[in-house]
Amino acid sequence: GDSVTQMEGPVTLSEEAFLTINCTYTATGYPSLFWYVQYPGEGLQLLLKATKADDKGSNKGFEATYRKETTSFHLEKGSVQVSDSAVYFCALSIASNTGKLIFGQGTTLQVKP
Amino acid sequence: EAQVTQNPRYLITVTGKKLTVTCSQNMNHEYMSWYRQDPGLGLRQIYYSMNVEVTDKGDVPEGYKVSRKEKRNFPLILESPSPNQTSLYFCASSFTGFSNQPQHFGDGTRLSIL
């Protein structure tokens, strides 16, 4: 079945370090791909999305490219800040109209000053 | 402000005592959904609704009920809660159920069933 696998956390980085969070997926057809971020005590917020192969989603310095050949959607940021500390979820939505998001297990990022 | 509002935010209750978690959105979205979040499992869909009076099961519907009598509201009902329903619950909405639509999430409801 359709699934998303994320790198396990927690990931601990120093401020201004480079961030990569790996995400790979298994899906039939052509899914849309998303990264959501969850700050402590809050709901999930859309960080970025890509709806077709080779699309690059970007927002707030974060980027991810939809790689169909490697079924991946890795999240990157060139210089993280303490305020980026949160849980990051990779998700896919299959090409149907059920609207269901299939999530990875989440990766906790902690950025230290 | 565009938002999805859930109530209550926290609830501790006992096995078998019926409870309802309300969800309301002010964005005129057609699509609404409920998820539960458990450690190591990410979020899993419980139920969804494509529009008023149209609901369907997600991946983990057992023990839950929903209704969609109005476009803005999508309550989650636990008729006889059990401890395995202790979890963090999120309501979400989007304009439609098409796969390229991002979903807007509420802040979550943490349920503890003793």
Side-chain angles (χ1 to χ4, degrees), chain A residues 6-7 21 36 39 41 59 86 93 107:
Chain A
Q6 288 179 236
M7 62 185 289
I21 300 178
Y36 284 85
Y39 298 103
N59 185 25
S93 185
T107 301

Side-chain angles (χ1 to χ4, degrees), chain A residues 43-64:
Chain A
L44 281 74
Q45 303 173 24
L46 177 69
L47 182 59
L48 53 85
K49 73 171 188 177
T51 57
K52 62 183 188 297
D54 300 324
D55 267 2
K56 177 186 282 188
S58 62
N59 185 25
K60 299 181 182 179
F62 291 90
E63 292 183 341

Side-chain angles (χ1 to χ4, degrees), chain A residues 1-6 22-29 31-34 70-73 90-94 100-105, chain B residues 41 43-44 59:
Chain A
D2 303 314
S3 65
V4 174
T5 302
Q6 288 179 236
N22 290 337
C23 171
T24 58
Y25 67 90
T26 301
T28 53
S32 294
L33 300 174
F34 304 86
T70 55
T71 62
S72 65
F73 193 54
C90 185
L92 69 82
S93 185
I94 54 178
K100 180 171 71 175
L101 284 167
I102 296 170
F103 286 89
Q105 69 270 40
Chain B
L41 296 178
L43 282 78
R44 294 175 292 167
D59 291 327

Side-chain angles (χ1 to χ4, degrees), chain B residues 11-97:
Chain B
L11 179 63
I12 301 174
T13 187
V14 297
T15 299
K17 185 176 181 183
K18 181 180 177 180
L19 67 91
T20 299
V21 183
T22 63
C23 173
S24 180
Q25 51 91 7
N26 63 0
M27 296 168 279
N28 202 35
H29 285 170
E30 291 185 350
Y31 181 89
M32 298 186 74
S33 181
W34 277 102
Y35 294 86
R36 59 178 288 173
Q37 181 182 8
D38 300 292
L41 296 178
L43 282 78
R44 294 175 292 167
Q45 192 183 52
I46 303 170
Y47 268 94
Y48 66 95
S49 169
M50 300 297 289
N51 213 327
V52 176
E53 301 293 1
V54 180
T55 64
D56 209 343
K57 297 177 181 179
D59 291 327
V60 288
E62 295 76 20
Y64 304 95
K65 284 176 55 175
V66 293
S67 68
R68 187 91 181 274
K69 293 184 171 59
E70 304 166 284
K71 197 171 189 178
R72 64 183 292 127
N73 296 323
F74 190 46
L76 180 70
I77 303 156
L78 285 71
E79 294 268 4
S80 183
S82 62
N84 64 10
Q85 293 176 298
T86 293
S87 187
L88 180 58
Y89 291 85
F90 288 99
C91 182
S93 72
S94 60
F95 281 110
T96 71

Side-chain angles (χ1 to χ4, degrees), chain A residues 16 19 48 51 59 85 111:
Chain A
E16 299 183 2
L19 169 71
L48 53 85
T51 57
N59 185 25
S85 298
V111 180

